[in-house]
Amino acid sequence: MSGLLLAVLWQLLYLCQAAPGYSNGFFYHDITNGNGNGEIHFNGVKLIVETTESSIFAAQGGNVTLPCRYHYQPELQSPRRTRVKWSWVPALGGRELDVLAAIGHRHRTFGAFQGRVRLLQDPPGEASLVMGELRTSDAGRYRCEVIDGLEDESAVVDLELRGVVFPYQPSRGRYRMNFSSAQKACEEQGAMLATFDQLFSAWEEGLDWCNAGWLADGTVQYPITASRTPCGGQDLAPGVRSYGARHRRLHLYDAFCFSPSLHGEVYFLQHPQKLNFTEAVQACEEDGSEIARVGQLYVAWRFLGLDHCDAGWLADGSLRYPVSTPRPNCGLQRPGVRSLGFPTQHQKYGVYCFRAP
Ligand SMILES: *[C@@H]1O[C@H](CO)[C@@H](O)[C@H](O)[C@H]1NC(C)=O
Ligand SMILES: *[C@@H]1O[C@H](CO)[C@@H](O)[C@H](O)[C@H]1NC(C)=O
Ligand SMILES: *[C@@H]1O[C@H](CO)[C@@H](O)[C@H](O)[C@H]1NC(C)=O
């Protein structure tokens, strides 16, 4: 049914409101539209729209279900035709974007969401949104709005793309990157420059790093959980310390990258020999995968508990290994990804590979 027809129908329903009431305080009036679907109009019933969770975490490239349900109080005896509309609410204000609109079992999807979203409608009252092929730009707040003519109620749910923040220093050494080379370095690791919020969350989770790095907004900051002398001094409180906005071309720092969680597997390649860098790249290819990037190793460590005490080559020519459970002789006191720098490429080590699903 077209939106216009429905609008006309609702107009009719409004007009019918003048019908006499029943003694229970509600009044009902049945009208039948062309295809025989009954529409009931009534007063005194409340429409309630709810979401079971306020934040949902998902991985880039994956699927997610944003929960939304509605019901009436008191409960209805017969189902009503409702419209459901999902929209995306920009974090910084501005116009909401339509995601999906449904009338009965017909629905339309909009813009970048076309073909990637669908509505769950079973059992009655279900209005959850399933989104696929998640992109970084999908993160944000979604509004689930249920409209049944008289009532229009909504609930919001935040979609957060899971990821991990890591400090990055190129092979040239400490403080060698202007803003654009920092952006590029993160991209090469399957990541992007972290936002302040992402760095702050990482700090809350324990990230402590004594080198300042670029963030996405062009500021330079570093997270400290344990104050110490070589790192601003004992007297400076723990926190994310900021140098403020720096000159994007003239000033050189490290970078804080954010790697969104990805579908795929990172593993230490079981191989009979140790490998130089060229051999390592080849060995992953021969295993049907590719040499892992730094961001992928961090994601596997953070979200999949990857724990392996052998140093392995990564795509940028660095040597690292992930530790989830610190233990003697494994080089880390706390869970983390240990970096052994950028050895010369003829040296022989293991390798971490990444296999896409
Ligand atoms: C996402 O959903 C589609 C169908 O709805 C399914 O084919 C696909 O395997 C799902 N992908 C993931 C990563 O769950
Ligand atoms: C940033 O540094 C890179 C590499 O050192 C250089 O090629 C590039 O021109 C610099 N970018 C700007 C905007 O200065
Ligand atoms: C790695 O070893 C191969 C021989 O197996 C050699 O051809 C190649 O040049 C070596 N690469 C490096 C970077 O040393």
Side-chain angles (χ1 to χ4, degrees), residues 8-268:
V8 169
L9 190 58
W10 287 129
Q11 290 281 317
L12 274 173
L13 291 171
Y14 273 97
L15 294 176
C16 292
Q17 209 165 357
Y22 285 53
S23 57
N24 64 4
F26 304 106
F27 58 93
Y28 298 84
H29 200 97
D30 274 303
I31 59 166
T32 303
N33 64 22
N35 55 26
N37 288 331
E39 298 280 349
I40 299 168
H41 172 249
F42 60 109
N43 261 351
V45 174
K46 212 157 87 189
L47 169 64
I48 293 159
V49 179
E50 296 172 311
T51 175
T52 48
E53 280 160 279
S54 58
S55 291
I56 299 283
F57 292 86
Q60 186 179 327
N63 292 353
V64 71
T65 301
L66 302 181
C68 180
R69 292 188 55 81
Y70 62 93
H71 65 274
Y72 294 90
Q73 255 178 11
E75 234 171 82
L76 291 184
Q77 296 312 311
S78 41
R80 282 162 61 78
R81 181 187 293 270
T82 48
R83 284 168 59 193
V84 173
K85 189 176 149 202
W86 276 92
S87 35
W88 183 81
V89 188
L92 301 171
R95 215 167 62 83
E96 293 192 7
L97 294 182
D98 290 339
V99 175
L100 173 147
I103 301 174
H105 282 274
R106 298 187 152 206
H107 75 266
R108 242 188 100 181
T109 57
F110 298 91
F113 300 99
Q114 255 167 1
R116 295 194 294 131
V117 295
R118 66 193 167 88
L119 191 67
L120 299 182
Q121 291 182 292
D122 204 29
E126 177 63 72
S128 299
L129 185 75
V130 179
M131 301 179 66
E133 300 161 46
L134 287 176
R135 306 165 184 176
T136 321
S137 56
D138 291 337
R141 174 160 291 185
Y142 287 79
R143 179 190 307 286
C144 165
E145 190 177 5
V146 179
I147 306 139
D148 84 349
L150 288 184
E151 307 242 16
D152 172 350
E153 296 293 337
S154 65
V156 293
V157 53
D158 290 332
L159 172 63
E160 296 188 37
L161 287 192
R162 277 204 310 195
V164 56
V165 171
F166 60 94
Y168 192 76
Q169 217 168 64
S171 58
R172 304 190 302 282
R174 182 174 187 253
Y175 290 176
R176 295 297 172 91
M177 294 185 290
N178 59 31
F179 180 74
S180 59
S181 26
Q183 268 180 324
K184 192 156 158 272
C186 290
E187 278 161 24
E188 284 167 0
Q189 306 322 309
M192 65 201 91
L193 277 179
T195 63
F196 172 77
D197 287 347
Q198 288 163 346
L199 182 65
F200 189 81
S201 308
W203 170 75
E204 286 181 313
E205 289 168 15
L207 183 65
D208 184 288
W209 197 253
C210 204
N211 297 317
W214 289 104
L215 295 184
D217 62 0
T219 61
V220 170
Q221 318 206 20
Y222 66 99
I224 294 297
T225 49
S227 298
R228 52 196 183 274
T229 309
C231 209
Q234 297 277 4
D235 300 336
L236 210 52
V240 175
R241 298 179 184 160
S242 180
Y243 291 172
R246 307 302 285 176
H247 195 291
R248 295 189 180 204
R249 194 156 39 79
L250 299 180
H251 291 149
L252 304 179
Y253 291 98
D254 292 345
F256 286 101
C257 305
F258 173 81
S259 178
S261 158
L262 275 171
H263 281 270
E265 181 200 3
V266 173
Y267 59 97
F268 184 81

Side-chain angles (χ1 to χ4, degrees), residues 276-325:
N276 68 26
F277 181 70
T278 350
E279 293 164 336
V281 171
Q282 257 171 23
C284 288
E285 277 171 21
E286 282 160 14
D287 204 44
S289 60
E290 59 190 48
I291 186 167
R293 301 201 252 178
V294 177
Q296 292 163 342
L297 184 69
Y298 267 93
V299 164
W301 160 74
R302 176 72 177 72
F303 297 114
L304 305 171
L306 188 67
D307 185 299
H308 199 91
C309 210
D310 284 309
W313 288 109
L314 291 170
D316 64 341
S318 65
L319 198 65
R320 299 173 200 249
Y321 62 88
V323 178
S324 296
T325 313

